Amino acid sequence: MLFLAVKNLVQEKTRLLISVGGVAFSVLLVMSIQGLYQGWSNKIGEYIRTVPADYWITQTGAPTCSTPRPCCP
């Protein structure tokens, strides 16, 4: 079964290259979005740490100030 799969992939090289390129591009997009989210979270955390406030008001059950609960149940 594995031999058949490898044979099909190698037989059509153009389709293989397009498939590999699509998977690589999707991984790139996911990593970019994750990097943006982590950067924004770090900046928001830095802002919260540097502002001289005694209390922070957020939604009940919110995990952090930067990621509140969604309003739709």
Side-chain angles (χ1 to χ4, degrees):
M1 190 62 126
L2 183 63
F3 176 72
L4 180 63
V6 172
K7 182 180 172 186
N8 283 339
L9 285 174
V10 176
Q11 188 174 6
E12 298 183 27
K13 295 195 187 299
T14 306
R15 184 178 289 182
L16 173 64
L17 291 176
I18 291 172
S19 299
V20 169
V23 170
F25 185 66
S26 66
V27 169
L28 174 75
L29 289 177
V30 167
M31 290 175 65
S32 299
I33 290 172
Q34 183 179 7
L36 287 171
Y37 177 74
Q38 286 180 348
W40 287 329
S41 294
N42 289 341
K43 284 294 183 183
I44 290 171
E46 181 181 333
Y47 172 74
I48 290 171
R49 284 189 295 275
T50 58
V51 171
D54 293 330
Y55 297 103
W56 287 94
I57 299 172
T58 62
Q59 286 181 328
T60 304
T64 62
C65 292
S66 62
T67 55
R69 278 191 349 214
C71 59
C72 300

